[in-house]
Amino acid sequence: MKSPTALVTGVTGQDGSYLAELLLDKGYEVHGMVRRSSTETFERIAHLKDRIQLHLGDLLDQASLVTLLRDVQPTELYNLAAQSFVPTSWVQPSLTGEFTALGVTRMLDAVRLVDPEIRFYQASSSEMFGRVQEKPQSETTPFYPRSPYAVAKLYGHWITVNYRESYGLFAVSGILFNHESPRRGREFVTRKISESVARIKLGLQDELSLGNLDARRDWGYAPEYVDAMWRMLQLADPTDFVIGTGVQHSVEDFVNAAFATVELDPQDFMRVDKSLIRPAEVDTLQANVEKAERELGWRAATQFTDLVEIMVHADLEAQERSSRRRVGGPGTR
Ligand code: NAP
Ligand code: GDD
């Protein structure tokens, strides 16, 4: 029998790379959509390159999506591609809307036209809760987006629900709270902290500049979250889920835990940079994961301090590796 076939958009990103690993382990034939760029962005999937098949496609280009689905004939489609960095969405609001909002409609239309039996996962976000209307946030909490990114994600969420209801597609929206890992993009706060702390410990950097230290997030470990995505597509009926740990911490907590990992005092290195404060902030996010626990049998396993340690240790190793390639190598504070 032919193995199940999955297509992952955003396969070069944090989640795409972990999802590709998970699907390969489960015996899937795995295909990834990548967009053309003058330099390759395949660092996170370099170790998988002989086991997955990559295809050119872009969320901005409807024809490329239709052709891709015809060529790959997936049974499952995970739509993870997006402009995913919140601050950029104020600088490029229209482009963010094209990728992160209308890109979802283009993908759903491709499914509808090529094969309505394809099971579709949409990467929705806890950012949609924004100025939270209820604590903690569940699948029934009203939305209040606070950035062009969150507004675009909310469109992507509702168009997924709408195509499910209009055309009977097996389309689900996973409302995922922040999830992190050593593969997290360097501009996101957790990775910025873990990488900076590693560099400070090794004497390669003097200070860490951050914006709002009071923001609170529900941070989990990314490899566990891609398992929740897969579980959603195995259900008998399509329905949406909130995925998170149920526990929240502040940015300052993350800073303190990261410096504690390398036995340094944050007060000696921390600086607040007001230019990093956002035009509209999401102050607090915390997931109510009852539905996921009940219906998916999914629960976050990695605790906050373990996550911080995993990230700081990975960045220490990465910095030491690249320093060894430089003459002299780093010192240690
Ligand atoms: P990420 O690391 O920023 O990866 C984004 C991916 O999207 C990259 O592979 C990128 O390709 C691709 N992409 C961007 N624009 C594209 C376009 N026009 N056409 C094709 N591909 C495009 O994001 P992530 O953290 O893995 O997150 C995955 C998804 O989940 C995103 O949709 C994000 O918004 C959403 N989400 C993430 C979190 C989280 O905490 N990580 C939480 C909730 C929701 P390049 O490599 O070419 O740039
Ligand atoms: N990036 C960044 N850089 N954030 C900072 C900084 C800084 O120097 N200083 C403070 N912060 C605060 C931000 O103001 C925000 O409140 C919080 O740290 C988290 O910021 P990010 O790590 O950039 O993530 P995010 O919460 O805005 O968005 C991420 O999670 C969403 C899910 O809730 C992204 O992965 C989104 O794509 C995702 O949808």
Side-chain angles (χ1 to χ4, degrees), residues 9-17 33-37 41-42 44 57-60 79-85 99-100 121-127 149 153 174-180 183-185 187-188 219 222 229:
T9 76
V11 72
T12 56
Q14 171 187 260
D15 291 5
S17 63
M33 184 180 94
V34 294
R35 56 181 171 164
R36 196 266 160 189
S37 70
T41 56
F42 298 171
R44 295 184 180 101
D58 199 301
L59 292 175
L60 300 182
N79 187 37
L80 310 187
Q83 191 302 93
S84 71
F85 190 47
F99 286 8
T100 305
Y121 173 86
Q122 169 57 19
S124 292
S125 166
S126 54
E127 277 288 299
Y149 166 81
K153 278 288 177 190
I175 305 173
L176 271 53
F177 284 61
N178 300 50
H179 44 281
E180 319 295 315
R183 295 186 200 166
R184 186 57 141 153
E187 68 274 42
F188 297 92
W219 280 297
M229 298 175 188

Side-chain angles (χ1 to χ4, degrees), residues 41-68:
T41 56
F42 298 171
E43 192 186 331
R44 295 184 180 101
I45 50 169
H47 60 299
L48 303 175
K49 70 177 189 309
D50 298 332
R51 302 173 65 205
I52 62 178
Q53 298 174 52
L54 300 179
H55 309 261
L56 270 188
D58 199 301
L59 292 175
L60 300 182
D61 190 300
Q62 181 78 65
S64 72
L65 306 180
V66 170
T67 306
L68 184 55

